[in-house]
Amino acid sequence: MINLGLSRITSLLQPLFSTHTVLPWRAIHIAGTNGKGSTATYISTLLSHQGYKVGRFTSPHLVHRWDCISLNQRTVDKDVFLAMEGEVQKRSREQGINATEFEVLTAVAFELFTRHGMEFGVVECGLGGRLDATNVLREQDVEVAVLTKVGLDHQDFLGDTVQKIAEEKAGIFKRGVAVVVDQSNEPCVLDVVRAKVKDVNAGDARSSRFLVQLPSELEAAALNEPGVTAMNLADHQQQNLTTALGAFHHVMEHRQSKIVVEQRMQSTIRDLPGLIQQSHASIRGRLETLTLPPHLIPSSISNEQKKMNTPFQVLVDGAHNPQAAVALAKHIRDHIRGPSNLPIIWVMSLKRDKDISTFIKTVVAPGDHVVTCVFAPVESMPWVSSMDPYELAKEVTRIMGDQEHHHVEVGLDPKSGHPTVAAAIRRAVSISMSASPDTGSSSLDEGGISRADRIPICIAGSLYLVGDVMRAVDDTEN
């Protein structure tokens, strides 16, 4: 179960903190509802590009536990991770700490950053901020705190309003530590940020100086760089990028002269298209175009695909809360549905505690087809469970009941009769190829997501579903 608090992680990391009154690496600490992982990846890529040794800790892991930790832009080696995990778990057992799985992962990341000589650690909060295990970081350890987009999610733990959730997430702010916030947040979130910065710096008449952001001229230069413009980044991707650049700029200002900072920012903006591509390649399941392997394409279609020599691609996104659903729906409307308002085939599974009604109403449109499935139990996270696919199908039907031409079904494996992610993907492909949209137009986007001869497919609803999709793609034996 989720068990927030700092006492166990403090005990678990006591040897590290007693040895280092200040950690040998500087933390960039990131909280927020949406965009944390992407912003963390942008920041680590930007810092690595400048030659710094950078560790990154994000959550949740998609396939393997060690996926959440990277050292110098590479996922930590499995054996290195397991050895460190064993050491931390032994400490927890012998001292009666009873650390949670996330606390163990946090401790493993911090120990690995230290032992492998990282200069920066980009650390993403797991849940909330104030009581999150990563908030064991002390004020002397943190270079800059970052708050990405805040919205409704995990209300049982963080509060039932955006303002209350923002207050919990702003709990990572520390005295004398700069704060960068996504400026597209709601006014109530920005109000909370300003109040919290003033509060943690009580007695400092110039506390507002700790609230920093990317200079407007640099933001304009970055977003208007021709290569960046050509990438057609979604609005939320631009916001994440701008926030990351704000944190990066602050770090550079604290380490270089003004002239050097200007030169490095100019060169960074010039190289930004390639850096964005590197970032997107290392953070999975965020508006990711995925090419399906032959074993996920129905056998009756596979030969046809080979003859056409056109890979079958789908859009995969971990959107799982109302705010993320809005961003996904906008991207699909702008880049996939297009002026012809193409229908979408959704492969969908959601966690039981999510706002299902808002999610469905936001992303599903009349004429869409929904294939529900169930994601597998999550390793070491027994409290995470997928909504029953039959129950989800009924909910979608109920919610979309007043809309015409929608279709809902459960993706069943033809041999076992059980609902699986792989079966849902194969069913979606079959529907896509057998009921192509009557648009008479060519592909809207490169990569085969939208084509005149097939209905586009989007897989969404949970990052845990994304993890199962990645496993299904790799599972050539089954």
Side-chain angles (χ1 to χ4, degrees):
M1 61 179 291
I2 296 175
N3 190 358
L4 298 175
L6 298 177
S7 61
R8 292 178 302 276
I9 187 64
T10 300
S11 298
L12 201 58
L13 284 173
Q14 193 275 334
L16 178 68
F17 286 145
S18 62
T19 302
H20 302 281
T21 54
V22 178
L23 288 176
W25 46 273
R26 300 294 290 159
I28 290 93
H29 198 189
I30 305 175
T33 305
N34 292 300
K36 298 191 300 295
S38 297
T39 301
T41 305
Y42 284 141
I43 293 172
S44 61
T45 300
L46 292 167
L47 290 172
S48 294
H49 183 60
Q50 294 298 319
Y52 292 109
K53 296 178 180 178
V54 183
R56 184 173 75 241
F57 176 50
T58 57
S59 64
H61 58 274
L62 292 184
V63 181
H64 305 294
R65 295 192 307 283
W66 49 92
D67 292 343
C68 63
I69 300 173
S70 68
L71 304 174
N72 293 324
Q73 300 296 88
R74 296 176 65 89
T75 300
V76 65
D77 180 79
K78 174 183 175 181
D79 292 338
V80 171
F81 170 86
L82 292 177
M84 190 70 253
E85 181 186 51
E87 183 179 324
V88 171
Q89 289 174 334
K90 180 181 178 182
R91 186 186 306 159
S92 177
R93 283 194 310 271
E94 292 182 345
Q95 297 182 20
I97 297 171
N98 297 317
T100 66
E101 176 67 21
F102 184 72
E103 288 164 348
V104 169
L105 288 174
T106 300
V108 168
F110 287 13
E111 293 279 11
L112 288 175
F113 292 172
T114 303
R115 299 187 189 190
H116 287 260
M118 297 298 104
E119 296 172 274
F120 288 97
V122 183
V123 178
E124 174 189 345
C125 287
L127 176 62
R130 182 175 62 91
L131 296 177
D132 185 74
T134 62
N135 205 29
V136 71
L137 289 164
R138 305 158 298 187
E139 64 184 43
Q140 64 264 33
D141 300 320
V142 184
E143 180 85 2
V144 58
V146 179
L147 185 65
T148 63
K149 205 68 176 281
V150 177
L152 293 174
D153 204 1
H154 300 293
Q155 290 96 311
D156 289 348
F157 295 95
L158 305 178
D160 58 2
T161 67
V162 171
Q163 181 175 344
K164 289 179 181 178
I165 292 172
E167 289 170 352
E168 284 295 316
K169 293 182 182 294
I172 69 168
F173 298 173
K174 295 173 172 59
R175 185 174 184 84
V177 175
V179 172
V180 175
V181 59
D182 183 331
Q183 293 296 315
S184 68
N185 269 297
E186 295 180 34
C188 68
V189 174
L190 299 179
D191 288 343
V192 167
V193 169
R194 284 188 286 266
K196 187 64 176 180
V197 169
K198 184 177 181 179
D199 180 58
V200 298
N201 292 287
D204 189 332
R206 297 192 304 124
S207 61
S208 61
R209 74 184 187 279
F210 294 113
L211 189 54
V212 301
Q213 66 184 90
L214 184 69
S216 57
E217 64 273 13
L218 289 177
E219 177 179 348
L223 297 181
N224 292 323
E225 202 284 330
V228 174
T229 302
M231 299 178 81
N232 289 318
L233 296 178
D235 289 350
H236 68 282
Q237 290 176 316
Q238 293 184 31
Q239 292 156 6
N240 294 337
L241 177 62
T242 299
T243 304
L245 283 167
F248 171 72
H249 180 257
H250 172 77
V251 171
M252 290 295 100
E253 279 193 317
H254 275 235
R255 278 167 173 70
Q256 308 292 343
S257 66
K258 183 176 181 180
I259 293 177
V260 172
V261 171
E262 291 177 354
Q263 293 172 341
R264 294 203 174 188
M265 290 304 298
Q266 289 174 359
S267 66
T268 296
I269 291 172
R270 185 176 61 249
D271 296 337
L272 207 49
L275 297 174
I276 292 172
Q277 290 176 340
Q278 289 178 33
S279 297
H280 290 181
S282 64
I283 185 80
R284 307 297 304 275
R286 276 75 166 182
L287 295 181
E288 179 178 358
T289 300
L290 193 65
T291 298
L292 297 181
H295 67 272
L296 287 181
I297 298 175
S299 57
S300 59
I301 296 176
S302 184
N303 290 334
E304 178 185 349
Q305 288 296 107
K306 290 178 181 178
K307 291 178 182 178
M308 294 171 60
N309 196 32
T310 54
F312 204 106
Q313 297 181 311
V314 299
L315 184 70
V316 181
D317 191 83
H320 57 276
N321 56 50
Q323 194 176 73
V326 170
L328 175 59
K330 184 178 187 305
H331 175 81
I332 286 179
R333 183 176 64 250
D334 294 347
H335 299 286
I336 299 179
R337 294 192 192 276
S340 300
N341 196 27
L342 287 177
I344 301 292
I345 301 172
W346 296 92
V347 174
M348 190 176 292
S349 179
L350 286 93
K351 196 161 159 271
R352 280 194 170 277
D353 61 354
K354 295 304 176 184
D355 184 350
I356 297 167
S357 179
T358 300
F359 187 89
I360 298 301
K361 289 179 180 178
T362 302
V363 301
V364 180
D368 286 359
H369 197 125
V370 179
V371 183
T372 66
C373 58
V374 56
F375 61 76
V378 182
E379 180 184 15
S380 302
M381 300 174 72
W383 61 88
V384 175
S385 62
S386 173
M387 185 175 185
D388 179 84
Y390 294 96
E391 184 182 347
L392 178 57
K394 288 180 181 178
E395 277 296 292
V396 175
T397 300
R398 181 187 65 80
I399 294 166
M400 305 302 293
D402 59 346
Q403 297 191 12
E404 298 180 356
H405 308 304
H406 67 274
H407 309 275
V408 185
E409 62 181 279
V410 178
L412 299 176
D413 182 273
K415 293 182 179 179
S416 68
H418 295 150
T420 68
V421 170
I425 293 173
R426 292 189 189 103
R427 178 57 183 152
V429 172
S430 180
I431 297 168
S432 175
M433 295 297 292
S434 64
S436 59
D438 183 19
T439 64
S441 63
S442 59
S443 171
L444 292 175
D445 279 356
E446 294 182 2
I449 294 297
S450 296
R451 295 167 46 97
D453 61 346
R454 61 183 68 157
I455 299 177
I457 297 172
C458 180
I459 304 173
S462 171
L463 281 169
Y464 302 111
L465 171 61
V466 171
D468 276 4
V469 171
M470 303 304 174
R471 293 185 188 93
V473 167
D474 293 337
D475 187 13
T476 56
E477 293 184 3
N478 297 305

